[in-house]
């Protein structure tokens, strides 16, 4: 039985939004819909083509955002403007009116009430840790290899930029090593996970 899934870049569904293009990477539970707002967890990328854009209001959801290729500025209603560096994540209330300034591609993790999560950019040689009861993803920024003999029949799998590795339902903790032919200071993937609060 496979506890993991590889979602290739050309298999990811794209939709237009007011500021650009969104690509849905993963949604939980299976069969739920962003449009119907009946999902618990959603991971997506968004390409922002406008210098200024308004985020869709998502009351009841916590959002994590990470610009992947350039810095952006965010302004939440009632708060000060925030400068968000590339490959750094920011958590905010999805129901608060939010404006972004600057063109970029970003990674978004949306969590319904009762869920928590994290996103972290990782260099070659880092390990993504899977914990039972979690949803876990590794989003590839560059070509890389994931090494985990306990999980993969061949010991490792190779992925391309834009591919997503998804893991769930495995009953043991696992360490999945990220390997790539890049300078060790270069971030080659984003590790994201989500879990229900106890």
């Amino acid at each position: 039985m496979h506890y993991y899934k590889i979602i290739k870049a050309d298999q990811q569904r794209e939709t237009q939004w007011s500021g650009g293009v969104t690509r849905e990477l993963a949604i939980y539970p299976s069969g739920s819909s962003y449009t119907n707002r009946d999902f618990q967890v959603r991971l997506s990328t968004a390409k922002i083509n406008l210098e200024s854009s308004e985020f869709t209001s998502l009351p009841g959801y916590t959002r994590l955002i990470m610009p992947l290729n350039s810095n952006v500025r965010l302004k939440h209603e009632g708060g000060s403007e925030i400068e968000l560096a590339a490959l750094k994540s920011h958590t905010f209330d999805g129901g608060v009116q939010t404006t972004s300034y600057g063109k970029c591609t970003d990674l978004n993790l949306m969590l319904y009430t009762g869920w928590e999560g994290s996103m972290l950019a990782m260099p070659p040689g880092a390990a993504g840790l899977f914990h039972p009861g979690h949803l876990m993803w590794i989003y590839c920024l560059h070509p890389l290899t994931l090494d985990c003999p306990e999980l993969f029949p061949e010991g490792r799998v190779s992925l391309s930029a834009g591919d997503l590795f998804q893991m769930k339902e495995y009953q043991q903790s696992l360490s999945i090593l990220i390997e790539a032919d890049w300078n060790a200071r270069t971030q080659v993937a984003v590790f994201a996970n989500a879990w229900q609060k106890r």
Side-chain angles (χ1 to χ4, degrees), residues 59-182:
Y61 288 88
T62 297
R63 295 186 63 168
L64 285 76
I65 185 171
M66 176 186 287
L68 299 178
N69 55 359
S70 63
N71 296 3
V72 296
R73 303 189 318 279
L74 297 179
K75 178 69 167 62
H76 302 303
E77 183 179 14
S80 302
E81 192 172 279
I82 299 166
E83 180 81 22
L84 186 56
L87 299 179
K88 299 296 182 183
S89 68
H90 171 65
T91 303
F92 63 99
D93 182 345
V96 172
Q97 182 181 350
T98 299
T99 305
S100 70
Y101 302 95
K103 298 179 182 181
C104 78
T105 298
D106 59 42
L107 190 65
N108 299 272
L109 180 59
M110 303 174 182
L111 306 165
Y112 190 62
T113 301
W115 286 81
E116 296 182 330
S118 66
M119 292 197 300
L120 180 67
M122 305 180 77
L129 301 178
F130 173 77
H131 300 285
H134 286 212
L135 305 173
M136 185 267 271
W137 304 273
I138 296 173
Y139 180 73
C140 302
L141 303 174
H142 298 287
L144 55 80
T145 298
L146 300 180
D147 190 328
C148 184
E150 304 98 317
L151 187 63
F152 307 129
E154 302 299 322
R156 56 177 53 197
V157 295
S158 296
L159 302 174
S160 301
D163 291 351
L164 181 79
F165 173 83
Q166 175 178 275
M167 182 80 181
K168 61 180 180 179
E169 297 176 356
Y170 199 69
Q171 298 304 308
Q172 300 177 33
S173 296
L174 281 177
S175 176
I176 301 174
L177 184 65
I178 298 171
E179 300 178 342
D181 295 328
W182 291 81

Side-chain angles (χ1 to χ4, degrees), residues 183-197:
N183 186 301
R185 290 172 291 182
T186 299
Q187 309 299 315
V188 295
V190 178
F191 174 81
N193 64 349
W195 61 93
Q196 285 187 292
K197 298 177 185 177

